[in-house]
Amino acid sequence: MVSEKSHLGDQQEPGHEDPNADARPLSMPTRRGPRSLPPIPSASRTGFAEFSMRERMREKLQAARSKAESALLQEIPTPRPRRLRSPSEKELETEFGTEPGGKIQTTQQEDDSQSYSRVKFRDSVRKIKSKTPDEEELLDDKDAVDFLLGLDRGAEDIVAVRPADYESVHIRLQKEKELLFIPSRRTVPTYKKLPENVQPRFLEDEGLYIGARLEVPRTNQNIMENRLLMQEPGRRWFGDDGRILALPNPIKPFPSRPLVLSQEQDIKAELETLYKKAVKYVHRSQHMIGSGDPPGNFQLDIDISGLIFTHHPCFSREHVLAAKLAQLYDQYLARRQRNKAKFLTDKLQALRNAVQMSLNPAKTPKSLDTTRRAINEYKSEIRQTRKLRDIEQEKDRTLLKTIIKVWKEMKSLREFQRFTNTPLKLVLRKEKVDQKADEEAYEAEVQAEISELLEEHREEYEQRMDEYRSAHQQWKAWKKAQRTKKKKKKQGVEEHPDDEMEEPYPGEDPVKPVPPEPTNQAVIEQEVRERAAQSRRRPGEPMLVPELSLAGSVTPNDQCPRVEVLRREDVKRRSVYLKVLFNDKEVSRTNSRPLGADFRVHFGQIFNLQIVNWPESLTLQVYETVGHSGTTLLAEVFLPIPETTVVTGRAPLEEVEFSSNQHVTLDHEGVGSGVPFSFEADGSNQLTLMTSGKVSNSVSWAIGENGIPLIPPLSQQNIGFRSALKRADAISSIGTSGLTDMKKLAKWAAESKLDPNDPNNAPLMQLILVATSGESYVPDFFRLEQLQQEFNFVSDEELNRSKRFRLLRLRSQEVPEFRNYKQIPVYDREIMEKVFQDYEKRLRDRNVIETKDHIDTHRAIVAKYLQQVRESVINRFLIAKHHFLLADLIVEEEVPNISILGLRLFKLAEQKRPLRPRRKGRKKVTAQNLSDGDIKLLVNIIRAYDIPVRKPITSKFQQPPRSSRTFSEKQAASPTTHSPTHSADYPLSQVLVRPFVEVSFQRTICHTTTADGPNPSWNEELELPFRAPNGNYSTTSLQSVKDDVFINIFDEVLYDVLEDDRERASGIHTRIERHWLGCVKIPFSTIYFQAKIDGTFKIDTPPVLLGYSKEQSVVAERGFDPVRSLSEGSYITLFITMEPQLVPGESVREKFDSQEDEKLLQATEKFQAECALKFPNRQCLTTVIDISGKTVFITRYLKPLNPPQELLNAYPNNPQATAELVARYVSLIPFLPDTVSFAGICDLWSTSDQFLDLLAGDEEEHAVLLCNYFLSLGKKAWLMMGNAIPEGPTAYVLTREQSHYLIWNPCSGHFYGQFDTFCPLKSVGCLIGPDNIWFNIQRHDSPLRINFDITKPKLWKSFFSRSLPYPGLSSVQPEELIYQRTDKAAAAELQDRIEKILKEKIMDWRPRHLTRWNRYCTSTLRHFLPLLERSQGEDVEDDHRAELLKQLGDYRFSGFPLHMPYSELKPLIEAVYSTGVHNIDVPNVEFALAVYIHPYPKNVLSVWIYVASLIRNR
Amino acid sequence: MGPWSAVLLYTQHGEQCLAHRAAWKLLSGVREGQTQVDTPQVGDMAYWSHPIDLHFATKGLQGWPRLHLQVWSQDSFGRCQLAGYGFCHVPSSPGTHQLDCPTWRPLGSWREQLARAFVGGGPQLLHGDAIYSGADRYRLHTAAGGTVHLELGLLLRHFDRYGVEC
C-alpha cells in the first residue's frame, strides 16, 4: 500500500493540483458502492446546499475529467475507444496494455539483488494499483466529495488530514541490510570450514565405513554452511572432510509396507484369499447321519506285471533242476553284487594296518593306556572280521560248487531222457590269474593269520596260566588247612566228637589244578592251512565265473516221448489269472493268461482302485484254470500297503513270493506238487516240492491332476500311528522308521560299533554325521512347542490317570454308563474305582458273546446284534438331539388378537353353572425341574368282571368234558351253551372268591382291599412313586424306561389252622393265603406316551387255574350275557395316569434319505397333510423308516410270504385253524417295542426276514408278518393302523372272511369279530394293502361302527387313485422265507436249564424257608404241558384236573401254567416272581415246577412253565 | 458387538472355536459352535448372549486356550458372508472378564469389493492360520469388522500347586 500511494503521488502531482486531494484516500473504501448505485439525492438536505454542492461538483468533475484525459493521453496513444467501455473492462485492458511500458520503468528503478520474477510480480501489482485509482477518480470523486462535504464540513477545523507515514523501499532495504543476514548460496570453500592448515580427510577413501548421507540439495547445503560459518565460528559443525556432520540416512531404501499394486505378484500362500459367494444358510451337516470326512476320492494303483512259478505241478524233472539252478544263480548274482568277502578282506586289511600304526609308539603320542585299549579292541575286531570273512568265502565257494553240481545233474538228466525242456545253459568262464602274485598273497594271508592266531593263543595261554596259578595257590592253602585240621582231629577226637559233623564240605575236595598246555605253532599252522584250502580258492586256480543263459534249444514235441508230450499239452491247457482283493472284497481280476512253457505268465495290467478309506488289506489270489474244468485257488499273496511316499511312477516292481499247499499228482512227466518224487532211478533221495512262485507287482498311490497324491488322510488310518510315522525320512530307507532322536541314534551307532565303511550303513552314517556334526545342522522342520516337555506340570500318564477328568470326559461324551451322571466329586479320592468297572467290562466284552445270560446261543447273538444296532442308532440320534429349533428354546406367548380377546370377554358374561363342571386341562410339566418323588403313578382300579371262582376241593369232579369248541361257536356263541345247572354245585352261602388287586411297579407294591365275588368293584386309587433311572427326568431317559406296571389279581383265601378243636371257642387262628388269578401288564412307556390309560382290559389268566373255574351261572342271571359270553376271559376296568402330567418327547425331526421317487414322496406328504387336516387324531401312515434309516413307502412291506410248511401241514383241511396257528406262531415271536430300544426316536420297520432273524420286534413287525402270511394263504388281508388299548397307536391285521371281517391282534394271536365289544382296537386310522393305502374318512373310527368296504371312495380315501395310479412298487421283502428246523435236542436242553434255573430262583426267593420239591407232581405236570401246547391252552383243564385229583388226592393244590414266547431268561423269572407262588410260607408246603419248550421253525420257542404249590391235607 | 456402519438390515452370527493344543485336554463342552442370528433392531449392536461352557485340563501352560471368532452376516435374502475374523486369548486370572475382540476381514481387490457390495460374498482366507499367526498379516488389506464383546467367567484350579500365580 505504501508503495502504491507513493506512486499515485508521483504520477499525479505533476499533472494538476487537486483540491480534494486529501479526500481521495478516504473515498477509496466507498468506491464500490457508488459505482453500482447511482448517487441518492438526499431529501433531508437544504435546496441551496444541494444546488451549490452539485454545481461545484459538476465543475470539479469536468475539470478532473479533462485533466484525467490529458493524463491518459500522455500515457497511452489510443484512449478513445476505451471511454465507452465499462470501468471493469477498462481495468482489465489497462492491466495488459500498460504492462510492457511499466515494466521498463520499474526495472530501472529496481536494482537490488532480488530475483527477476519477483520483481516482475511486484512491478505488475504496482502497476495495476497505480493505474486504477486515477481512472476511477472520474466516477468516484464526485460522489465521495459529495459525502464528505455533507458530513465533514464542520469538522474540518478539528481534523487534520495527513498522508500516511511512508518509508521508501530503498531506505527500508538499507535498514534491513543492517539488521538481517542473508546467507549466500555460493559454495563455501573448504578451508573456511576447517581449522587452519588442516587438509580435509575423506574417511571413506581411507576405507572406513560411513553411512550414506541424507540427500540435501546443494544450495540448501551451501546456505546452511554459510549461515553456520557466520553464526558460530567455532566450527564444531564440520567434520574432517569439511562437510557438515551428519548421521547416516535413516530412511530405509524400500518401504516396509509395499504398495497395493505390488501385492498381486508375490502373495504368500497363507495370505491367499478367495472370493466366496454369499451362501444360503444351511444347517451344518456335521450332525447329520453318515457325513464325517468328505468322502474323498483316493486312488491306489496296483500294477501286476507278471507271475513266475518256481515250482508247478507240471514241472518236469528238468524244470525242477532248472528252477533250482536259476535260483542259485540269482543268489550268486546277488552275492557277487554285495561282494561281502571282498569287503571283509579289505576291512581286515585296514584293521591290521591300524594295529600296526598304533603299535608304533612314535606316531601315536597318546598315552600308553589308551593305545593298549585301542589295540585290544582292534584285535578283537580283527578276530571277528576274520571269522566272518571265512564264513563268507566258504559260502561263496559252496554256492559256486552247488551251481556246478546242479548244472551237471541237469546235463546228465538231459542226456538220460534224451530231450531238453528248458533253454537254460550254464557257461563257466575262467578268469586267468597271475599265479605268482596270487601265491604270494595267499601265503601272506596265511602267515598273517597264523601269527595272529599265535598271538591270540599266547594271550589265552597266559590268561590260563594266571588262572592256574591262583587256583594252585588256593589249592595249596586248602591242602595246608586240611592237614592242620587232620592233626587237630587226631588230637581232640574225644573232646569234640561232633567235629566231624562240622567239617564243611567233606566230599568237595578241590581238585588239583592242571597247568595249561602251551600252544603248538605247527598245529595252528596246520589248522589254518586246512581251513584256507577248504574255503578259499587255491593259489593259481583260475577264477570261475558262471554265466547262465537261455541260449539252449528245447527239443520239439515230435522228438519227445509220449509222457513228455502229454505234459506239454497239459501245460498248454492251463491258464492263470489273479484276483485283486481289497479289504477282503474282490475288486477286479486280471485276464486269464495261458501258462507258458517256461512257467511265466505276463499280465502287465494296472488296476486303479478308487477308494474311500484307508486300505486294511490288499490281497492277490492266484487262480489256475485247467482246460474247461473249473478253477482252483492256488495261493493268496498279501501285498503290503504302500507308504504314503510311494506314488505312481516312483514305485519299484517288487516280487512277492507265494506258495500253495495243494497236492497234485499227474499221470505224465510232470512231477506234481506236494508229492514226493526222486531223480534217482531207484527212487531214493526223495524230494517233495510245493507249488510256489513269485508275483511281480507294484502298489502305489496315484497322483491327482494337480500333482497331489490321492492318499486318504492320515486320520483315517486306524491302524495308526505306525504307518503315520513312516514318513519320508532318511532312516526309513534302512528300514528303521520312526526314529527321530538323532543323538540316541548316534549313541546306538557308537555302542553297536556300526561299521562306517559298510555300504549298507552308508545312509545312516551320513545322517548321523549330519545330525551330530554340531550347530551347523539346521533341521528342516519347525517344532511348534519346543519346550513343552520341560514346562509340563505333570506327565500325560498322570493326567490320564485322574479319575475325575476321566469321569468328566466320559460324561460329556455321553457314554451310556455315564450319560446324565450328576455331580462328579471334586476330589479324585472321592471317586470309587468301581464306577468304571461296568464300562471297562463292556469295552472288554464288546465282541465276546456272553452265553451265560442267554441260554440259547442264537438268541445271544441276536441280542448282541440288537444291542449294537441300538447303540449305533442311539448315538446317531443323540447327536441329532443337540439340534434345537427356536421353539425348543423360546416359549413365546401368542399375542392375543381381537377374536380371542372378544371370546374371552364373551366368556365373562357367560352364566355360571356350578352344577355343570367343566373339564380343566391339567398342566403339563416339562422334565427339567423334576426330581425323585415328584412323579406319581396313579392307578385307579374300578372293577373286574368274571373272575374265576373257587371250586370246592371236596366235591367230586363230575362236570362232563365239554366238547371242543369250534370256530363258529366262538364267533357267535349263544349264551345258551352254558347251562346254568352248574350253579347247583355251589352252596349259595359259600364265598365264591375274594379277589384283591396288587399293583407292582418298580418293585413298589400296593394293593387294594379285598372284595367279594366274581364281579368285584373296588374303585380305589393307588399311588405309586416313580423313579427315573439315574434320577434323570429328561424326556430321553423317560422314554427309555423299560419298567412294566404289573396288575395282579389275587384271591385271598382264609384257612383255618387251629390245631385243637377245643380252642375253637376261644380263639380264631387262620392263615391268609393268596392265590394268583391273573395279571395285566402295561409297559410304562405306553402310559408315558398315552398320558392316560382308561378302559377295560382282559386279564391274562393262565389257561388252567387249579382249584378255580369260571363261574358262568351268575353271569347268566344278570343281563350282560350277549356281550359277555362272546368272550372267554376275565376283565378289569382301570384308569392309569401320571401326576403331574409329563410332556412326551417328540420324535426326532429328521429327514431321512430315501430311495423312493421324489414324486411319490411329495404325494405322501400331500396325502398326509390332507388327512391330518380332516382328522388330526387318526393315524395315517405312508412312509416308514427301515432298519438302515431310510424312508420306505409302506406298501412295499406287504407281500405274500410263505408261512412255515409245518404249520400248513397241521390242519390241511381247516383254513381257519391254519390261520389261527399261523397267528399263534407270529405271536410267539417275542415282543420288543421300538420305543424302548430306540428311545423316543422313531419306529424302525424291519422286513419280515430281518424280523425273523432278530426274533424281536414290535406290533408293526408282527402285523406285517401276519398280514403277509394271510396274503399267502389266499385271504384278503390288510394292515390296520389305529389305536388300541393298552398299546396306543398300533398295527392290527384285518382279514375278510366270507361274510364278515376279523380283527387280529398280531402280538397275542387273538382275533375278534368286527362287532366284538372287547376288541382292544378302539379306533381305525387307515388300512394298508400291498398296493394301496386307504384312509378312514367316515364319521366314526370305532371298528364297531365303520364299514370296511374299501371300494367306497366316500368312506375310504385311497392314496393311489386314477390321478395317481399305482406305479407297481417292488417289495422290500424277500422272495421267500426260509425256515430252519429248530433243533429239538437244543430245545430240550434249554428246557432243562430253564427249569433248573427257575427252581434255584424260587429257592432264592424263600431264604427263610425250606423249599421242598414234589417230584411226583412235577412229573405229572411235565406230562401235561405238551397237551396244553397242542391244544393251545384250551379245553384241557377238566381232564387235567381229574388226573391230578386222581394222583394227588390228598393234597391241596394251587398252581397254573404260564405261557410266553421265549426271548431271554429274565422275563420268565420276572413272570414267575410276579405270580407270588413262592410267597406261601405254610410250613409243610411243597412245590412243583415243570417247564416245557415247544420248538417252532426258525427258532421260535413257546415256553410253558407250570408252577404249583401243594399242601398236604391231613 | 461393536457399532456397525453397514446396511440397515444387518444380521450377524458368529462362530467360536477354541484352540486346542497337546497340553490341553477338553473335558467337557463343545469346542466350537455357532450362535444364533440376531437382527439388531435398535442400534447397531447385535446381541447373541451365546453361552460358552468349557472345561479343560492341562499339563502345561503352553497353548493357553484362545477364542477364535468368525463373524458372519446374513443379508435380507438369507445369504451369509464373512464379516470378520478375530481371536483373543482367554484371560489367565480367575474371575469375570470383559473382553473386546476386534475383528477384521480381508478387503480383496476393487473388483471383489465391488462384487461384495452388490452381490454379496467376499474374500475369505484360504488358510486360517493367518488370523492369529500375524507375522505376515500386514501384507493383507483388511477392513475393520466391528468388535465382539465377550464376558468370560473363569475358574482355575490347582494352578498354584504348580507354582502358577494367578
Side-chain angles (χ1 to χ4, degrees), chain A residues 680-912:
Chain A
E680 316 290 326
D682 56 351
S684 66
N685 204 357
Q686 284 200 331
L687 207 62
T688 310
L689 290 174
M690 295 295 195
T691 308
S692 61
K694 285 184 273 187
V695 179
S696 70
N697 68 300
S698 79
V699 184
S700 58
W701 295 105
I703 296 177
E705 288 166 3
N706 41 7
I708 297 167
L710 303 170
I711 302 171
L714 288 179
S715 63
Q716 280 193 13
Q717 301 179 13
N718 37 10
I719 19 166
F721 210 75
R722 211 163 45 79
S723 45
L725 269 174
K726 285 188 187 174
R727 262 163 304 186
D729 51 356
I731 316 170
S732 71
S733 61
I734 58 158
T736 357
S737 50
L739 282 174
T740 43
D741 195 340
M742 283 301 143
K743 277 182 188 155
K744 270 191 187 162
L745 183 69
K747 205 176 153 198
W748 166 77
E751 273 174 2
S752 60
K753 298 215 182 77
L754 212 61
D755 186 358
N757 297 325
D758 189 342
N760 274 347
N761 298 338
L764 186 61
M765 291 321 287
Q766 175 81 19
L767 187 78
I768 292 169
L769 197 70
V770 171
T772 52
S773 60
E775 279 75 28
S776 66
Y777 175 60
V778 180
D780 54 353
F781 55 83
F782 171 69
R783 254 180 74 187
L784 208 59
E785 273 125 2
Q786 303 96 329
L787 298 170
Q788 180 72 62
Q789 214 65 45
E790 288 80 348
F791 281 100
N792 275 355
F793 297 150
V794 289
S795 63
D796 268 332
E797 295 79 54
E798 208 172 320
L799 197 64
N800 288 337
R801 224 183 299 134
S802 164
K803 282 180 277 185
R804 182 164 184 269
F805 290 166
R806 190 167 170 210
L807 206 56
L808 281 167
R809 222 174 42 248
L810 288 170
R811 181 176 70 171
S812 90
Q813 284 165 358
E814 301 204 313
V815 172
E817 281 85 356
F818 305 101
R819 201 178 291 155
N820 307 312
Y821 195 96
K822 277 182 183 171
Q823 286 165 343
I824 289 167
V826 183
Y827 298 105
D828 254 8
R829 58 170 186 270
E830 291 171 11
I831 300 170
M832 301 290 151
E833 197 55 68
K834 65 171 192 276
V835 171
F836 299 107
Q837 271 172 10
D838 283 351
Y839 171 63
E840 274 160 4
K841 187 166 170 291
R842 186 172 63 98
L843 286 190
R844 248 180 321 192
D845 345 317
R846 176 160 286 174
N847 298 315
V848 183
I849 288 168
E850 185 90 25
T851 44
K852 209 170 72 191
D853 299 346
H854 305 270
I855 295 171
D856 173 15
T857 44
H858 172 76
R859 267 161 236 259
I861 294 163
V862 164
K864 204 82 194 170
Y865 172 74
L866 214 61
Q867 180 68 31
Q868 277 167 8
V869 170
R870 193 177 302 167
E871 246 170 55
S872 74
V873 171
I874 283 176
N875 285 339
R876 218 153 70 176
F877 286 97
L878 266 180
I879 299 165
K881 277 238 147 121
H882 289 295
H883 257 316
F884 294 108
L885 292 183
L886 185 68
D888 296 332
L889 302 173
I890 298 166
V891 183
E892 212 162 7
E893 295 276 335
E894 206 183 339
V895 180
N897 56 13
I898 194 72
S899 63
I900 293 171
L901 277 177
L903 261 170
R904 293 252 170 92
L905 285 171
F906 185 70
K907 265 187 190 158
L908 283 179
E910 220 174 33
Q911 264 189 329
K912 289 232 164 77

Side-chain angles (χ1 to χ4, degrees), chain A residues 11-58:
Chain A
Q11 281 178 344
Q12 280 171 356
E13 260 170 332
H16 64 109
E17 37 125 349
D18 194 355
N20 334 347
D22 49 347
R24 222 181 327 126
L26 282 173
S27 78
M28 292 288 277
T30 53
R31 202 192 294 159
R32 195 155 294 162
R35 215 195 320 183
S36 52
L37 291 168
I40 305 158
S42 173
S44 59
R45 288 173 193 170
T46 52
F48 166 73
E50 209 181 303
F51 176 69
S52 62
M53 267 265 291
R54 269 186 194 161
E55 236 178 14
R56 280 175 66 180
M57 275 306 290
R58 209 168 287 137

